[in-house]
């Protein structure tokens, strides 16, 4: 651990210069869709049955595995869970019985098969499928860009210690970059997919946010199935109609709450928070979870701005103590906005605890939610203390605290209680049982944020980011520090891949949402601060998600 200068920062109010909210309530309430009518639901069911018939009738492995892939990419997996599970189970059993895959001579299908099996929790290894296809040391790869892209996508499902996949990833990245830079004769739609995968692999992307892009890709296929295509478009439009109703309801709640008027210094990001909630759980059955997540993400942003931007150190001491005791009486001597914010958060937390636990289990759920909020604010106070002291922690000290301030634990505890089939005392053990998963998802959220916002936060005088901590500790350049942070993200994904490798249908929804929380961070911070500057990539996602149907 090292210390920076000992000059104390002033307790003067600062300004983050956040841009104003661009999504007005009047606009949100004006959103309409014809796809909430029963006739469209009936048409959807009709096409689902037709595709199921196609699925059953197709006997060949190669077209069937590609059909499964497209069903997932087009956002339709929820309609075909049984068919997909049975097919992949048959492939896995076949491989175990005969110690080989019937598609080993086809690189594209073989790598696709490997990726899908790992995505669905099957314990397959590179040697099971890929051993006859490549040897990185002699570069005996296919020269087809589609094959190399599929290989790159598959390598992102790697686990710790799988050097062959690490080597394959490096090879694929270099090969594809050369192909793009040298303008090889590759079809335009293939080039688009190559660029897409190099920018961010599909395993790190929010699946629902990529549906429209995949529809465009699917339309370029020679043997595209028109029913599957139309089903995907209709499914997206019906889902969009439901999401419009949800965001309208949330906007009415937000307007009525009035918190944005008393906390004008903080980020007013209702719709962006809702976007994140959809990214974590887009399925219709998780409507309540989306409502909860939207509300807690709003509070995360506003409370973060209290600590980072607005409050004095003395005020933060009182604010943190109020959280620790979960008692507004601790806020007698602080600005009125702190009291209003704290009381509003208490109300939302009580509301969620009652929705989940009812009268019988209300206190059990409330204690878990309270504990997570308390830890969040205590960790924010640690950062405020570091900032006031001019203290630069070691990277590990920073990460231990930042994994909490990332909001990952808050998001995942709400996800967990929403996906539990039965409310039991296991909820009390959540932070212990899933400690590693929560930590590595939280690392990705925090480090993606740091890579995008470090410069702006440095200019504001915020506490040191992971980049600054590593630069200070190891005495290296910013470029090397950024590379190290990216390496930690890569390693965290390997941990997550291993921890979420299961076929337990009861816990699988929670694992999927945990991965989506990490993916949401990549989406938000891919090209800058998606919360701070919301009229770039974030706006495009929201327009696609809520405003523009197929």
């Amino acid at each position: 651990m090292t210390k920076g200068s000992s000059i104390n920062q002033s307790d003067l109010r600062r300004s983050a210069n956040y841009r104003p909210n661009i999504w007005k309530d009047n606009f949100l309430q004006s959103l309409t869709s014809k796809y909430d009518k029963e006739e469209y639901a009936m048409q959807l069911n009709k096409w689902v049955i037709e595709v199921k018939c196609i699925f059953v009738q197709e006997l060949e492995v190669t077209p069937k595995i590609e059909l499964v892939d497209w069903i997932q990419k087009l956002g339709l997996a929820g309609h075909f869970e049984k068919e997909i599970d049975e097919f992949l189970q048959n492939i896995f059993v076949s491989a175990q019985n005969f110690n080989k895959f019937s598609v080993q001579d086809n690189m594209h299908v073989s790598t696709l098969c490997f990726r899908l099996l790992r995505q669905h929790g099957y314990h397959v290894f590179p040697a099971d499928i890929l051993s006859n296809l490549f040897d990185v040391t002699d570069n005996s790869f296919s020269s087809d860009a589609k094959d190399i892209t599929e290989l790159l996508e598959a390598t992102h499902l790697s686990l710790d210690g799988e050097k062959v996949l690490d080597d394959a990833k490096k090879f694929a990245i270099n090969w594809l970059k050369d192909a793009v830079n040298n303008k090889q004769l590759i079809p335009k739609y293939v080039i688009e997919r190559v660029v897409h995968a190099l920018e961010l692999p599909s395993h790190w992307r929010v699946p629902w946010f990529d549906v429209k892009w995949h529809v465009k890709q699917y339309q370029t296929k020679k043997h595209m199935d028109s029913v599957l295509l139309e089903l995907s478009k209709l499914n997206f439009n019906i889902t969009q109609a439901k999401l419009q109703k949800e965001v309208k309801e949330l906007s009415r709640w937000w307007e009525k709450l009035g918190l944005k008027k008393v906390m004008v210094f903080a980020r007013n990001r209702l719709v962006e928070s809702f976007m994140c909630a959809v990214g974590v759980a887009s399925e219709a059955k998780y409507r309540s979870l989306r409502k909860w997540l939207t509300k807690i993400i709003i509070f995360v942003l506003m409370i973060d701005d209290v600590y980072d931007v607005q409050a004095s150190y003395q005020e933060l001491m009182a604010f943190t103590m109020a959280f620790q005791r979960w008692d507004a009486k601790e806020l007698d001597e602080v600005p009125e906005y702190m009291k209003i914010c704290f009381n509003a958060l208490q109300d939302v937390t009580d509301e969620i605890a009652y929705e989940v636990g009812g009268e019988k289990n209300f206190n059990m759920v409330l204690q878990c939610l309270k504990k997570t909020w308390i830890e969040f604010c205590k960790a924010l106070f640690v950062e405020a203390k570091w900032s006031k002291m001019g203290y630069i922690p070691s990277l590990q000290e920073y990460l231990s605290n930042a994994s909490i301030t990332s909001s990952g634990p808050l998001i995942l505890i709400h996800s967990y209680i929403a996906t539990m089939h039965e409310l039991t005392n296991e909820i009390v053990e959540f932070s212990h049982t899933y400690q590693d998963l929560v930590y590595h998802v939280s690392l990705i959220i925090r480090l993606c944020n740091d890579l995008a916002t470090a410069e702006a936060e440095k200019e504001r005088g915020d506490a040191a980011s992971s980049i600054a901590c590593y630069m200070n500790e190891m005495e290296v350049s910013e470029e090397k520090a950024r590379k190290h942070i990216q390496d930690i993200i890569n390693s965290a994904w390997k941990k997550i891949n291993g921890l979420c490798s299961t076929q337990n249908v009861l816990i699988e929804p929670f694992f999927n949402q945990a991965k989506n929380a990490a993916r949401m961070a990549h989406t938000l911070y891919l090209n800058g601060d998606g919360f701070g500057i919301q009229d770039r990539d974030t706006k495009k996602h929201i327009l696609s998600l809520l405003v523009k149907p197929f």
Side-chain angles (χ1 to χ4, degrees):
M1 291 181 284
T2 58
K3 288 194 176 185
S5 64
S6 59
I7 299 174
N8 287 349
Q9 292 183 353
S10 165
D11 271 345
L12 292 175
R13 315 293 180 187
R14 295 185 288 131
S15 172
N17 294 317
Y18 291 126
R19 299 187 184 183
N21 169 45
I22 63 174
W23 304 102
K24 307 303 181 185
D25 180 63
N26 288 343
F27 172 75
L28 297 176
Q29 300 304 333
S30 73
L31 294 174
T32 57
S33 172
K34 66 180 182 181
Y35 293 99
D36 59 352
K37 296 177 182 176
E38 182 64 25
E39 62 188 272
Y40 292 104
M42 292 173 63
Q43 181 61 62
L44 180 87
N45 291 331
K46 177 175 177 291
W47 280 338
V48 166
I49 293 170
E50 286 188 36
V51 174
K52 285 186 177 183
C53 290
I54 295 171
F55 201 98
V56 172
Q57 292 167 6
E58 181 57 69
L59 300 177
E60 295 296 321
V61 171
T62 295
K64 206 161 189 175
I65 197 77
E66 290 181 337
L67 177 59
V68 168
D69 186 40
W70 278 113
I71 284 173
Q72 291 192 165
K73 287 176 176 176
L74 297 175
L76 299 169
H79 296 291
F80 303 95
E81 288 179 354
K82 181 173 178 288
E83 290 77 12
I84 291 172
D85 288 343
E86 287 180 358
F87 172 62
L88 292 178
Q89 177 68 20
N90 289 337
I91 285 188
F92 182 71
V93 170
S94 174
Q96 298 301 300
N97 291 342
F98 299 103
N99 197 32
K100 67 177 183 177
F101 281 77
S102 60
V103 294
Q104 271 198 326
D105 60 337
N106 184 322
M107 182 176 182
H108 175 78
V109 178
S110 181
T111 50
L112 175 57
C113 185
F114 173 79
R115 175 168 62 81
L116 289 174
L117 285 169
R118 280 227 167 156
Q119 281 178 347
H120 286 262
Y122 288 94
H123 294 279
V124 293
F125 302 96
D128 295 337
I129 310 178
L130 306 175
S131 59
N132 295 335
L133 286 174
F134 64 86
D135 180 349
V136 175
T137 58
D138 66 10
N139 291 348
S140 56
F141 279 69
S142 159
S143 59
D144 185 277
K146 285 174 61 180
D147 290 354
I148 303 298
T149 305
E150 193 56 63
L151 175 65
L152 175 60
E153 297 284 19
T155 62
H156 284 85
L157 276 294
S158 66
L159 309 175
D160 276 334
E162 292 185 324
K163 187 175 183 300
V164 66
L165 290 182
D166 293 339
D167 291 342
K169 181 193 290 185
K170 291 175 185 174
F171 178 91
I173 290 171
N174 291 334
W175 193 100
L176 292 169
K177 283 183 176 178
D178 286 344
V180 172
N181 292 336
N182 295 331
K183 299 181 179 178
Q184 293 185 10
L185 295 176
I186 302 173
K188 182 182 177 182
Y189 76 94
V190 177
I191 285 287
E192 288 176 353
R193 190 178 172 209
V194 168
V195 172
H196 199 63
L198 286 173
E199 180 186 53
L200 199 66
S202 62
H203 187 55
W204 294 6
R205 289 180 182 271
V206 176
W208 190 250
F209 293 0
D210 235 20
V211 168
K212 281 188 174 178
W213 189 87
H214 284 301
V215 165
K216 182 181 175 184
Q217 287 282 301
Y218 188 64
Q219 289 172 323
T220 65
K221 277 180 62 68
K222 289 182 180 178
H223 304 295
M224 175 266 293
D225 185 279
S226 59
V227 175
L228 186 62
L229 178 67
E230 293 307 314
L231 172 60
S232 176
K233 291 180 179 180
L234 181 59
N235 184 65
F236 187 93
N237 290 345
I238 290 175
T239 301
Q240 184 180 81
K242 293 175 180 176
L243 295 179
Q244 286 177 351
K245 290 181 179 179
E246 292 177 27
V247 80
K248 286 180 182 182
E249 180 185 328
L250 283 162
S251 185
R252 287 192 291 269
W253 162 80
W254 184 233
E255 291 295 311
K256 184 179 179 182
L257 188 64
L259 197 58
K260 64 181 181 178
K261 295 178 181 177
V262 295
M263 297 180 70
V264 293
F265 59 86
R267 286 164 289 181
N268 174 12
R269 300 290 186 262
L270 171 80
V271 182
E272 290 79 7
S273 299
F274 180 70
M275 179 192 83
C276 292
V278 177
V280 172
S282 63
E283 298 88 344
K285 61 184 175 181
Y286 294 118
R287 184 178 187 273
S288 291
L289 174 59
R290 285 191 291 276
K291 178 181 70 173
W292 305 340
L293 289 181
T294 301
K295 292 182 178 183
I296 70 160
I297 292 169
I298 287 173
F299 277 104
V300 162
L301 293 173
M302 294 200 129
I303 292 171
D304 185 55
D305 289 339
V306 170
Y307 279 85
D308 275 356
V309 177
Q310 182 68 8
S312 71
Y313 186 72
Q314 293 301 318
E315 290 166 352
L316 290 179
M317 289 178 67
F319 198 52
T320 308
M321 185 58 69
F323 271 92
Q324 284 187 262
R325 297 181 179 176
W326 205 249
D327 188 352
K329 292 176 183 177
E330 297 290 334
L331 298 173
D332 288 343
E333 304 298 325
V334 300
E336 188 67 17
Y337 78 83
M338 282 187 164
K339 301 173 186 177
I340 296 171
C341 178
F342 184 81
N343 287 327
L345 176 60
Q346 278 193 321
D347 289 344
V348 166
T349 307
D350 287 348
E351 169 198 322
I352 295 171
Y354 190 80
E355 278 192 43
V356 175
E359 292 184 7
K360 180 181 178 182
N361 293 309
F362 170 78
N363 284 324
M364 179 176 69
V365 177
L366 181 62
Q367 291 306 313
C368 292
L369 301 184
K370 278 169 54 176
K371 178 185 174 184
T372 314
W373 275 112
I374 290 167
E375 292 301 314
F376 175 70
C377 287
K378 284 168 62 178
L380 285 177
F381 185 67
V382 169
E383 288 185 353
K385 187 159 55 175
W386 287 345
S387 181
K388 181 176 175 61
M389 295 168 55
Y391 176 71
I392 303 178
S394 68
L395 179 60
Q396 189 52 55
E397 185 181 7
Y398 170 86
L399 293 178
S400 296
N401 194 69
S403 63
I404 302 171
T405 62
S406 71
S407 77
L410 277 166
I411 291 169
L412 294 189
I413 183 61
H414 285 82
S415 168
Y416 183 68
I417 62 177
T419 54
M420 290 179 72
H421 286 254
E422 183 180 353
L423 198 62
T424 68
N425 287 329
E426 288 180 11
I427 186 177
V428 179
E429 299 297 320
F430 170 79
S431 60
H432 175 72
T433 305
Y434 297 103
Q435 180 179 4
D436 287 348
L437 178 60
V438 173
Y439 178 74
H440 287 102
V441 169
S442 299
L443 275 193
I444 291 172
I445 295 172
R446 171 52 60 201
L447 296 180
C448 286
N449 184 324
D450 281 358
L451 288 172
T453 65
E455 284 301 316
E457 291 182 349
K458 182 179 177 182
E459 290 175 7
R460 282 205 305 266
D462 291 355
S465 70
S466 57
I467 298 166
C469 290
Y470 190 72
M471 288 172 66
N472 183 72
E473 181 181 6
M474 304 304 293
E475 298 182 350
V476 297
S477 67
E478 181 177 343
E479 182 182 358
K480 288 185 177 179
R482 285 181 172 273
K483 183 183 182 304
H484 183 72
I485 298 307
Q486 187 61 57
D487 289 342
I488 295 176
I489 292 173
N490 294 339
S491 177
W493 266 113
K494 289 185 179 185
K495 299 287 188 185
I496 293 169
N497 291 341
L499 292 165
C500 292
S501 181
T502 182
Q503 291 176 275
N504 182 339
V505 294
L506 298 180
I507 200 65
E508 188 179 8
F510 168 64
F511 284 168
N512 286 336
Q513 289 174 13
K515 287 183 284 189
N516 281 341
R519 290 164 177 154
M520 198 61 237
H522 284 290
T523 299
L524 267 175
Y525 301 110
L526 181 61
N527 294 309
D529 182 0
F531 273 127
I533 305 172
Q534 77 277 35
D535 58 355
R536 295 178 188 169
D537 288 2
T538 303
K539 182 178 180 180
K540 292 176 185 176
H541 286 305
I542 290 170
L543 287 172
S544 173
L545 189 70
L546 293 172
V547 182
K548 298 179 179 178
F550 275 111

